[in-house]
Amino acid sequence: MTNALGSNEIRSMLDRGDLVVMPLLDLNRQIGRASLDVRLGQDFVLFRKGQIPVMDVKDAFNDTAWVDYYDRIRREYGQAFILHPGQFVLSSTLEFLRLPRNVMAYVIGRSSWGRAGLVIATATFVDPGFQGVITLELVNEGEVPISLYPGTRIAQLVFHKLEGEVQAYKGKYAFDTRATASRAYEDEEIIKLTRKD
Amino acid sequence: MKCVNNDEINLRWHIFYTLKKLNNALEKPSIPSRSRKILKTIYDNLKDIEMNAIGSIDNIANGLSLIDKIILGINYGAPEWPNKLLDLYGPPIKCLVIPFITEHLATSDIQKYLPWWKQPCECYLLPFYAEEQDSPLNLQFFSTHLDKAWTMYNQELSDRFALIFAPGISIMTSNYDMFDWKQAKDIDWPRELKDWIEEIARSSRKSEVSPKAWDWKWDEICHATALLLENIPPSQIKDDPLEIISILIAGSIVASFEIHKGASFEGMASLERLIAFACDGSLFLSKYRSS
């Protein structure tokens, strides 16, 4: 893996169509010296805290579907989502991305939001050849509620080139077009590990 | 004590239960504001009803039956896509597509049944039939509703959207004679589609609806089809947002092509999500640019 790609290389990837970012609201404002800012999407996934005794992957195979643990809400243009202290929600990038098969990316929070107490992502690795929106795991670690507006530049991608191409990512989160709740229950080892007999 | 007949007693029960349903619906946070306004208007018209002053009991009972359907439809939930298209391209009057009602109506039409009916603003209600799909691919349904809403607004027959969506509807319904594919085959389609469009052109007759019969943005439509074929949601062309109509027509062409190739249902669902995402992205970009 090489060092992080600079703005010229990111621009070249965009111009060639190797890197796709759609919609791209304002490239000049989004491109940094060695990063590309991504914006907050419109959909949010919240936990139904009042009715979750425990989040257990084996429930996905029993009578409780994991969708029962979540609510979805959508904020329209100009509407804020209020993230309270300690609250954890999922959202996604506003942009649909396609990475080249020889480029991976890290998602990093923008410091402006970090200073407000917002933690953007805990799963920060984006696979080479990934295609879809990136789900963001948002936590307000601050002490006061934060208003989040869809379209805000909230995170940045730092790209790294691989030596050679790999197969495009075709995992369970490929081609997502909105924030996707955990599908940990689809992991093969979970079936083995939760089986009693 | 004044004696009341059975019909009037039944009517009182009907109003009582209708007000109860309205109260329940108005307490639901999931009811969107547009639907809530309609419910509130109905509530305000029923809550202080003067039984002595009302007209024909049969007529009022019919009005209440219509209101029952409206409440049921709003409670069930308004479909996303036809309402989105009506917001974008419909007449400058609030429109709401809901299930359970059986015909297009304006809320002021309720006055035919309830003579004391008053409303702060007009709204057109359009039916969402059980066999319809809430999908960005349902162009036929969009065109019917848009034309109907404009017909109600202008009080003269409108078939503009039947024409605008004709290329998409033609290809989705395999009714190839409703659009001139013989001329359309010369458009700069993505390479992957060219053979298939030529095949369609060979099997269709010359139609009056040529690719120039409307101001279609064929560069946008071809750009969007090319991106969709690569599983990329087409929201913009260079820096500009794509027009929603172009995205929807491109979406219907690619979806028909994928069906023709025997795509999996999962693949079709993914394509439908990409089209939806592309429309949302385009709208977001438009608002961002204009604000």
Side-chain angles (χ1 to χ4, degrees):
Chain A
M1 193 170 71
T2 61
N3 293 330
L5 301 186
S7 58
N8 288 341
E9 286 165 286
I10 297 170
R11 275 184 197 275
S12 300
M13 287 197 296
L14 286 166
D15 289 344
R16 289 196 302 270
D18 294 342
L19 172 65
V20 174
V21 181
M22 191 78 79
L24 189 50
L25 268 54
D26 187 344
L27 176 60
N28 290 333
R29 190 156 288 177
Q30 285 177 242
I31 202 155
R33 281 183 289 278
S35 64
L36 182 73
D37 289 349
V38 284
R39 297 170 186 269
L40 180 65
Q42 296 182 268
D43 292 299
F44 296 85
V45 178
L46 293 79
F47 285 90
R48 290 177 181 165
K49 283 198 281 193
Q51 54 196 85
I52 304 175
V54 58
M55 205 162 177
D56 189 336
V57 282
K58 78 172 185 299
D59 288 344
F61 311 114
N62 298 336
D63 54 347
T64 312
W66 267 32
V67 289
D68 293 341
Y69 291 156
Y70 302 104
D71 278 319
R72 280 188 176 277
I73 66 162
R74 185 176 175 81
R75 301 277 83 189
E76 296 304 330
Y77 189 96
Q79 287 183 330
F81 176 82
I82 311 297
L83 189 66
H84 288 268
Q87 191 181 4
F88 170 74
V89 297
L90 300 175
S91 186
S92 72
T93 55
L94 182 75
E95 299 90 351
F96 184 100
L97 295 117
R98 185 181 70 184
L99 265 59
R101 288 193 293 156
N102 62 344
V103 174
M104 53 132 313
Y106 286 111
V107 187
I108 299 171
R110 290 184 69 226
S111 70
S112 303
W113 285 102
R115 288 163 211 221
L118 185 67
V119 176
I120 300 296
T122 47
T124 58
F125 177 79
V126 186
D127 276 286
F130 173 83
Q131 202 158 343
V133 297
I134 297 171
T135 291
L136 303 170
E137 298 106 19
L138 308 176
V139 182
N140 180 356
E141 292 285 6
E143 292 178 5
V144 291
I146 305 171
S147 297
L148 299 173
Y149 291 89
T152 301
R153 286 180 295 134
I154 201 160
Q156 53 198 341
L157 300 178
V158 177
F159 299 97
H160 294 268
K161 202 168 232 171
L162 278 69
E163 289 169 5
E165 290 191 346
V166 296
Q167 287 287 315
Y169 172 77
K170 293 216 169 88
K172 51 185 177 271
Y173 302 114
F175 300 110
D176 281 345
T177 54
R178 60 180 184 170
T180 306
S182 171
R183 291 197 201 125
Y185 58 85
E186 288 182 14
D187 290 347
E188 284 171 15
E189 77 276 12
I190 296 295
I191 299 169
K192 283 186 180 181
L193 292 168
T194 56
R195 192 179 289 149
K196 280 183 184 164
D197 48 344
Chain B
M1 191 177 76
K2 184 196 162 198
C3 285
V4 290
N5 63 34
N6 280 347
D7 288 344
E8 192 176 322
I9 287 171
N10 288 339
L11 189 64
R12 281 170 190 259
W13 278 115
H14 199 158
I15 294 168
F16 167 71
Y17 283 123
T18 304
L19 284 168
K20 190 176 137 187
K21 279 189 278 190
L22 284 163
N23 263 323
N24 288 341
L26 283 165
E27 283 178 8
K28 278 190 183 175
S30 59
I31 302 280
S33 64
R34 182 176 309 180
S35 304
R36 188 177 295 275
K37 276 180 194 154
I38 295 170
L39 294 176
K40 187 75 173 64
T41 302
I42 298 172
Y43 186 83
D44 289 343
N45 274 283
L46 292 185
K47 74 176 166 38
D48 297 324
I49 190 169
E50 277 291 334
M51 293 303 289
N52 297 333
I54 62 177
S56 151
I57 285 181
D58 283 348
N59 208 28
I60 290 163
N62 289 336
L64 289 173
S65 297
L66 176 61
I67 284 171
D68 284 338
K69 289 178 189 164
I70 295 170
I71 299 169
L72 196 60
I74 287 175
N75 255 323
Y76 186 83
E80 178 190 359
W81 281 95
N83 283 303
K84 192 178 270 190
L85 267 286
L86 279 158
D87 281 350
L88 286 171
Y89 299 115
I93 273 191
K94 296 261 184 264
C95 297
L96 185 65
V97 179
I98 50 170
F100 298 110
I101 59 168
T102 52
E103 59 192 38
H104 301 72
L105 73 140
T107 46
S108 57
D109 293 342
I110 298 173
Q111 200 170 36
K112 281 189 287 195
Y113 305 104
L114 313 179
W116 66 89
W117 180 262
K118 284 187 191 137
Q119 58 185 29
C121 61
E122 180 71 297
C123 179
Y124 294 162
L125 299 172
L126 304 111
F128 183 71
Y129 302 112
E131 64 272 18
E132 293 296 348
Q133 312 306 323
D134 185 11
S135 163
L137 293 169
N138 200 351
L139 303 192
Q140 197 155 21
F141 185 59
F142 300 154
S143 73
T144 305
H145 273 331
L146 283 163
D147 283 336
K148 185 66 191 179
W150 277 105
T151 299
M152 287 167 81
Y153 182 73
N154 291 329
Q155 303 206 323
E156 63 178 58
L157 191 64
S158 168
D159 57 3
R160 188 160 51 105
F161 284 91
L163 170 64
I164 291 172
F165 287 121
I169 295 170
S170 159
I171 217 155
M172 290 284 282
T173 58
S174 307
N175 186 1
Y176 302 131
D177 294 342
M178 68 184 284
F179 183 70
D180 196 337
W181 290 103
K182 288 195 185 304
Q183 283 191 49
K185 75 177 169 43
D186 299 326
I187 291 169
D188 191 20
W189 297 107
R191 191 176 46 79
E192 209 175 336
L193 282 182
K194 269 204 171 291
D195 289 349
W196 181 60
I197 300 272
E198 275 177 20
E199 195 182 307
I200 288 171
R202 273 197 298 277
S203 62
S204 64
R205 284 177 294 190
K206 194 173 181 334
S207 163
E208 284 177 12
V209 184
S210 82
K212 290 182 180 161
W214 179 258
D215 189 18
W216 286 290
K217 294 178 178 166
W218 290 110
D219 58 332
E220 286 197 357
I221 294 170
C222 289
H223 173 75
T225 51
L227 289 181
L228 284 170
L229 287 166
E230 288 187 61
N231 289 317
I232 294 169
S235 296
Q236 65 193 94
I237 184 165
K238 294 191 177 134
D239 288 339
D240 298 321
L242 284 176
E243 198 174 308
I244 300 299
I245 285 172
S246 300
I247 298 172
L248 294 177
I249 290 174
S252 65
I253 291 170
V254 175
S256 302
F257 177 63
E258 295 294 340
I259 284 274
H260 173 77
K261 285 199 311 183
S264 66
F265 292 121
E266 201 180 329
M268 294 301 293
S270 173
L271 175 62
E272 192 187 37
R273 285 197 297 272
L274 291 176
I275 297 165
F277 184 92
C279 292
D280 287 342
S282 164
L283 290 172
F284 203 97
L285 180 56
S286 301
K287 284 180 187 161
Y288 185 78
R289 289 280 156 80
S290 61
S291 63

